Amino acid sequence: LTRPLTLPFVFVKGSATRRLSEPTVSRLAVYLRVLLDMTKQRRTTVSSEELAEKIGVNHNTVRRDFWSLGVLGIRGVGYNTDNLILELSQALGLSQERSVVIMGAGNLGSALANYRGFPDRGFRLVAVFDVDPTKIGTHVGGLPVRGVEELATLVRNRDLHIGMIATPAAQAQAAADSLVEGGIHSILNFAPTRISAPADVSVRYIDLSVELQILSFYSSGQPRRNQVKERA
Amino acid sequence: LTRPLTLPFVFVKGSATRRLSEPTVSRLAVYLRVLLDMTKQRRTTVSSEELAEKIGVNHNTVRRDFWSLGVLGIRGVGYNTDNLILELSQALGLSQERSVVIMGAGNLGSALANYRGFPDRGFRLVAVFDVDPTKIGTHVGGLPVRGVEELATLVRNRDLHIGMIATPAAQAQAAADSLVEGGIHSILNFAPTRISAPADVSVRYIDLSVELQILSFYSSGQPRRNQVKERA
DNA sequence: GACTGTGAAGTAGTTCACAGCT
DNA sequence: AGCTGTGAACTACTTCACAGTC
């Protein structure tokens, strides 16, 4: 055997030790979303079948996901919603508060700063940065816009977890570099460009054009794969 | 053989007839983004290796994607950038203009309406709708905000391709229903909730909380899978 | 009777590895 | 020498299918 084995990427939960695959992690966040919607209706249990239908996956997948997480259901009944919410939140690391900063106080940066969903789950917006001197000092979403050079100071005082890049494409790499220098390991990039970062930094992209283009593909005569499959 | 075979989901290009997988389609849009960035620097060719590094995938994957598309490179040299851009655009259906409408003229809806990237590729924002009478008639992104009931009229006059939902969660399903009723088959949902739609409608989600939670998972001690792999 | 838990089977997607051009 | 094109091998992910439990 010459190739290195996959590193033991595991999630430990009680006595169960399992690997959470990337698709599974993405779905966990979606389950959580649906479950929170459901508890508003005072539901106490859900079946894998019901969740599966709501998010458009196979029910076996749902059970496998929960099983990988180490969450147990009750046969003949389903899963306890409160318990699921707790376990999902824990697995996603939402039990500890995450601080978020925004780079760029333009249209998008302001819209993000005004997003009211942050405190709900454990996200806390702590600062908004920009390079434009005319913007610095103005307020967006109740926070003062600061110059990027203040990032370093802020880092010294508290841990920063997630950086969102909402600058124009041309400044995105510089923004990313500042974030990385500030010790941030998770970046959500809204700028319409790809950025590079060290291997220990997770970068996710939200690119409107890319999304529109993918939709464009499927609207030009090509059926969506999983919908074709679900029809079978 | 008892199970139905996968339907012949193919993309026809010249004499080559190939299947484009869902991951491939998503990557095509990203290649296009990077290539457009590159042509600004007057590059005429790219190797699979270079593209691969830029977007963080394996170079074999890049070659396979182009091969599935029916795009040929030149051995010893690479792929012609202009040709690639052309073929990618064509495959993604960008050669014909797509009309886009926005549901919801709040913070997010306005930010989207002000996005300047639409005309670049073939997307054309044609209308913004809201249910709030105080918003109807005001202008966002150079367009008048219309009442949802006008959607039907608009549909009669021209084809609408893509609907973006930027309403609060509670109104998202209703917005989706209006879009579907208006004959739209592609929806990009920004509202923090899941929506249901007929099987012949493609729905993609951009959910800030979900993205933040996924990042949260990877920042709580778990390395990103593909980064682990790339290290090997 | 309903729904979970999970080996086993199946399928899709990725990566290897190397022959074949330029 | 450099980089593509592609069968073959591999790995990851999904789905089947059914025994097990409530």
Side-chain angles (χ1 to χ4, degrees), chain A residues 93-181:
Chain A
L94 305 178
S95 27
Q96 80 179 102
E97 195 179 70
R98 308 265 162 200
S99 58
V100 176
V101 302
I102 296 174
M103 307 295 277
N107 266 324
L108 179 59
S110 315
L112 289 173
N114 282 303
Y115 175 64
R116 284 169 223 79
F118 287 122
D120 291 15
R121 241 52 56 67
F123 298 100
R124 182 186 169 80
L125 177 62
V126 298
V128 180
F129 298 97
D130 207 303
V131 289
D132 179 353
T134 69
K135 279 186 190 140
I136 296 171
T138 63
H139 282 245
V140 293
L143 286 172
V145 178
R146 306 166 189 231
V148 229
E149 65 286 353
E150 285 190 55
L151 210 163
T153 330
L154 197 75
V155 168
R156 223 169 293 131
N157 300 333
R158 53 150 91 227
D159 263 10
L160 300 182
H161 300 109
I162 298 175
M164 304 201 293
I165 299 178
T167 63
Q171 280 95 269
Q173 185 61 57
D177 294 344
S178 305
L179 289 172
V180 169
E181 215 175 314

Side-chain angles (χ1 to χ4, degrees), chain A residues 15 88 137:
Chain A
S15 55
L88 289 172

Side-chain angles (χ1 to χ4, degrees), chain A residues 173 189 192-196 205 207, chain B residues 30 33-34 37 54-55:
Chain A
Q173 185 61 57
N189 180 29
T193 187
R194 309 303 282 190
I195 57 180
S196 54
Y205 293 88
D207 186 325
Chain B
V30 179
R33 152 113 308 144
V34 172
D37 279 1
K54 285 234 170 90
I55 81 161

Side-chain angles (χ1 to χ4, degrees), chain B:
Chain B
L1 205 66
T2 52
R3 295 189 57 252
L5 292 168
T6 311
L7 298 186
F9 169 65
V10 294
F11 177 76
V12 182
K13 156 72 196 137
S15 55
T17 297
R18 309 232 194 280
R19 220 182 113 278
L20 294 188
S21 72
E22 195 138 349
T24 294
V25 173
S26 300
R27 283 190 300 263
L28 296 187
V30 179
Y31 297 137
L32 186 53
R33 152 113 308 144
V34 172
L35 285 166
L36 290 168
D37 279 1
M38 287 183 62
T39 44
K40 284 179 195 147
Q41 286 114 258
R42 304 252 172 271
R43 294 286 307 277
T44 59
T45 57
V46 234
S47 67
S48 54
E49 178 73 51
E50 186 179 356
L51 272 175
E53 203 189 344
K54 285 234 170 90
I55 81 161
V57 300
N58 184 292
H59 57 115
N60 293 283
T61 301
V62 175
R63 287 204 297 283
R64 250 212 211 278
D65 284 343
F66 293 163
W67 174 81
S68 327
L69 242 190
V71 173
L72 295 180
I74 306 158
R75 293 169 201 232
V77 181
Y79 298 86
N80 178 283
T81 48
D82 289 343
N83 181 235
L84 264 180
I85 290 173
L86 191 75
E87 297 277 10
L88 289 172
S89 304
Q90 214 151 76
L92 291 169
L94 305 179
S95 25
Q96 80 180 101
E97 194 179 70
R98 307 268 163 199
S99 57
V100 177
V101 302
I102 296 176
M103 306 295 276
N107 265 325
L108 179 58
S110 316
L112 289 174
N114 282 303
Y115 175 63
R116 283 169 224 78
F118 288 122
D120 290 16
R121 240 56 53 69
F123 298 100
R124 182 186 169 80
L125 177 62
V126 298
V128 180
F129 298 97
D130 206 304
V131 288
D132 180 353
T134 68
K135 278 186 191 140
I136 296 170
T138 64
H139 282 245
V140 294
L143 285 172
V145 178
R146 307 165 187 231
V148 229
E149 65 286 353
E150 286 190 55
L151 210 163
T153 330
L154 198 74
V155 168
R156 221 168 294 131
N157 300 333
R158 53 149 92 229
D159 264 10
L160 299 182
H161 300 108
I162 299 176
M164 305 202 293
I165 299 178
T167 64
Q171 280 94 270
Q173 184 63 58
D177 295 344
S178 305
L179 290 173
V180 170
E181 214 175 315
I184 281 179
H185 288 266
S186 304
I187 295 177
L188 191 52
N189 180 28
F190 290 84
T193 187
R194 308 304 281 192
I195 58 180
S196 54
D200 62 340
V201 175
S202 300
V203 181
R204 292 184 68 86
Y205 294 88
I206 294 187
D207 186 324
L208 186 55
S209 296
V210 167
E211 296 297 326
L212 288 174
Q213 287 167 19
I214 294 171
L215 279 174
S216 169
F217 176 85
Y218 290 109
S219 60
S220 51
Q222 305 296 352
R224 202 87 197 278
R225 288 285 284 312
N226 55 4
Q227 291 181 350
V228 170
K229 273 192 277 181
E230 276 167 35
R231 188 144 53 77

Side-chain angles (χ1 to χ4, degrees), chain A residues 47-48 63-64 67 72-73 75-79 225:
Chain A
S47 68
S48 55
R63 287 204 296 284
R64 257 233 194 266
W67 173 80
L72 295 182
R75 293 169 200 234
V77 180
Y79 299 85
R225 286 287 284 312

Side-chain angles (χ1 to χ4, degrees), chain A residues 33-51:
Chain A
R33 153 115 303 147
V34 172
L35 286 166
L36 290 168
D37 279 1
M38 288 183 61
T39 45
K40 284 180 196 145
Q41 286 115 256
R42 303 248 173 275
R43 292 287 305 279
T44 58
T45 57
V46 233
S47 68
S48 55
E49 178 73 49
E50 187 180 355
L51 272 176

